[in-house]
């Protein structure tokens, strides 16, 4: 039964459903039943992140629970340009009401001075999101359950020690009931990203959602090396607009912009300008476990660099990542 | 007359000799005469850096002065793999005796804790090189003159405020006679890099020298963002070996590896490894004033990344710079 607790030993015994074996209609039916059984007559909440995983979970949850499900979009200040409005519009069209929660101050306060990547994920995101913000929503809504879009790869990477995924608790010894005051139900635990997309399509999500490239839990905080201040998030948000516009439809698994902390020597109006560097990453991958850099047209790369250096204030240099995962990871943070 | 002083106003009135107008034999003859006139019966010294400029100046100086010229290779600890031995071998074949001076401790002591690029160029390199090390050589050899490979682009960039070139004094108001105790003669002031190569070929330098990609005055200290410790120089030196091996003969103007200070999340043996990132730059350019990134074969880029992540300890991620100059510069520091 999904989401009803998996300990450190059990986590790797979750039965993955491969893309070949996945029957989306049956999967949705099973998960609807499982959610109903887990939630009963309680209220559950779901938090959209803008990614496909949380969108799919919300739609399955809505099908299972109707009005018993409260759906939120938590604006942590780390989202992409226009994201809150876009998400609300998409879900309004699906007749799923979404409440936007402005939690920007709480997140930036928690991220202040934090530069270590794991600490950023842990303190800045996990603690504020699950304890403070979702904790508050749970208390005010009377919810007992949080529906969450954890997928197989998240569990695998966290338990292998690769990276702390923000949404994986139990195999690292956190009991959300005790720690945060609610239970967590995770309907997508047996799927990897391509399976989630198939289910999203079967649910009637618009293609703009189910085909979205993955976006990390810590959002743009994962796209800034060093401290994620509002100013630095604003810079990487502008670079993200360029990268997503230019690479939409390129067929890659995921593409992103990273704002470096390093400064490099550049030139502006004929004078030295000790400026920012942005790194572009674009990955070919099936499931994010391994990945290779996409062989993009060189003219396209040049155009991306030209746009970023002209549209993002203070950026003088743009690079393209040419490493495989491993030894790189998909995200820099 | 070259090298006899140019003030801030005069510096941009140096008469450039374009590649089209350059007559290498006549240029060499003129500079031999000018050096003889400037040095007279004194002793002059020349310091090879491994680059084409200082090699050409040394050979012109040798032709002008014979035994009156003392040639040194100052091992500042920031040189490429095997550089001191390579340089000594090349010049032995040209019958120019070269003395290798071990100044590694002096340079690393001066670079300790220095992270600002301009301070690195100024304190770490200019002061130690010109005042301490060359100053000592001048005193012990009794030399009155330093022959130096400053070229037109160096003057242009420094006086435009783009970048402090280590070898440009007078237009920034430094009198080397007063400051360091010797006069500076600069036979290549009227040339840009392609002109220097033509003169080098006419002098009978081996192609391996006159066709060498430019290498910066601060050497590998310019290839490390942040503090240039012996350990970090050793890492970028290894990355430089890979880049120079893979890109030799690619026809680009210049190619280089930069060790970032930023750490990024990577994967080693299935575990998270918060590691180093190396940036590769490869430029198409005529004269370094403007430049565009070279469109390298993607398989070659991938091979460079694979080699750097396996041959340079702790490097998990490699990028390729896709910006033009401007807004980028050729070097990151």
């Amino acid at each position: 039964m999904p989401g009803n607790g998996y300990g450190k030993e059990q986590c790797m015994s979750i039965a993955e459903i491969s893309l070949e074996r996945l029957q989306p209609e049956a999967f949705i039916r099973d998960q609807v039943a499982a959610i109903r059984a887990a939630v009963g007559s309680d209220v559950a909440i779901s938090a959209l992140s803008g990614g496909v995983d949380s969108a799919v979970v919300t739609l399955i949850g809505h099908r299972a629970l109707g009005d018993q499900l409260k759906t939120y979009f938590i604006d942590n200040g780390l989202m992409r340009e226009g994201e809150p409005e876009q998400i609300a519009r998409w879900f309004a069209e699906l007749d799923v009401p979404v409440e936007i929660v402005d939690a920007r101050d709480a997140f930036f306060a928690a991220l202040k001075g934090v530069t270590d990547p794991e600490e950023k994920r842990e303190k800045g995101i996990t603690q504020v999101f699950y304890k403070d913000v979702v904790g508050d929503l749970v208390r005010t809504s009377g919810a007992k359950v949080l529906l969450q879009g954890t997928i197989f790869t998240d569990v695998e990477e966290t338990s292998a020690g690769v990276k702390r995924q923000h949404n994986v608790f139990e195999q690292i010894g956190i009991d959300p009931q005790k720690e945060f005051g609610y239970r967590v139900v995770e309907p997508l635990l047996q799927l990897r990203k391509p399976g989630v997309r198939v289910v999203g399509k079967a649910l009637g999500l618009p293609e703009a959602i189910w085909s979205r490239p993955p976006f990390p839990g810590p959002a743009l905080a994962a796209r800034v090396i060093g401290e994620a201040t509002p100013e630095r998030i604003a810079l990487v948000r502008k670079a993200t607009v360029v990268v997503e516009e230019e690479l939409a439809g390129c067929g890659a698994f995921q593409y992103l912009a990273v704002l470096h902390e390093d400064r490099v020597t550049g030139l502006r109006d004929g004078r030295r300008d000790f400026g920012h560097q942005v790194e572009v990453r674009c990955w070919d991958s099936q499931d994010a476990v391994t990945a290779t850099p996409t062989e993009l047209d060189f003219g396209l790369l040049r155009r991306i660099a030209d746009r970023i250096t002209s549209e993002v204030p203070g950026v003088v240099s743009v690079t393209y990542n040419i490493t495989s995962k491993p030894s790189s990871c998909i995200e820099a943070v």
Side-chain angles (χ1 to χ4, degrees), chain A residues 49 76 78-80 125 215-223 233 331:
Chain A
S49 70
N76 54 15
L78 308 171
M79 292 298 171
R80 284 175 282 195
I125 310 298
F215 193 63
L220 295 176
R223 305 279 170 84
I233 291 291
E331 303 279 351

Side-chain angles (χ1 to χ4, degrees), chain A residues 16-25 27-28 51-53 56 149-154 156 188-203 205 207 209-215 251-254 283-290 330:
Chain A
E16 180 188 351
I17 302 174
S18 67
L19 196 56
E20 295 68 38
R21 292 196 302 112
L22 174 65
Q23 297 183 292
E25 297 300 344
F27 179 86
I28 294 165
V52 58
D53 303 339
V56 167
T150 317
I151 66 173
F152 193 79
T153 321
D154 297 332
E156 201 174 48
L188 307 184
L189 267 189
Q190 295 171 281
L191 303 181
R192 293 183 189 267
K193 195 67 79 177
V196 178
R197 297 193 195 284
V198 169
V199 171
K201 191 175 179 182
L203 281 164
L205 275 175
E207 181 168 355
I209 299 183
W210 64 252
S211 74
R212 277 200 132 181
F215 193 63
F253 176 79
Q254 189 165 354
W283 299 105
D284 291 337
S285 178
Q286 285 307 311
D287 54 11
V289 174
T290 61
I330 302 253

Side-chain angles (χ1 to χ4, degrees), chain A residues 37-55:
Chain A
V39 176
S41 58
D42 291 335
V43 167
I45 65 175
S46 171
L48 293 166
S49 70
V52 58
D53 303 339
S54 64

Side-chain angles (χ1 to χ4, degrees), chain A residues 5-8 122 126-127 130-131 158 164-182 184 186:
Chain A
Y6 46 91
K8 200 167 171 75
E122 168 59 27
T126 307
Q127 286 294 326
Y130 291 101
K131 194 163 178 179
T158 303
R164 170 84 158 84
Q165 292 295 344
H166 66 290
N167 50 358
V168 174
F169 298 116
E170 309 199 15
Q171 87 274 27
I172 56 167
I174 293 177
D175 177 351
Q177 180 72 61
K178 209 161 25 177
E179 196 95 3
F180 309 125
Y182 50 81
V184 174
E186 296 166 311

Side-chain angles (χ1 to χ4, degrees), chain A residues 1 4 31 34 44 53 120 129 139 141 146 233 284 301 305 327:
Chain A
M1 185 161 190
N4 271 3
Q31 297 306 323
D53 303 339
K120 207 187 263 182
F129 184 86
R139 277 185 291 278
S141 67
L146 171 69
I233 291 291
D284 291 337
L301 285 173
S327 59

Side-chain angles (χ1 to χ4, degrees), chain A residues 300-321:
Chain A
L300 173 58
L301 285 173
R302 294 288 310 281
R303 186 166 70 238
I304 291 173
D306 284 348
R307 284 195 58 191
I308 291 176
T309 53
S310 29
E311 296 176 26
V312 187
V315 176
V316 296
S317 171
V318 179
T319 62
Y320 184 61
N321 198 298

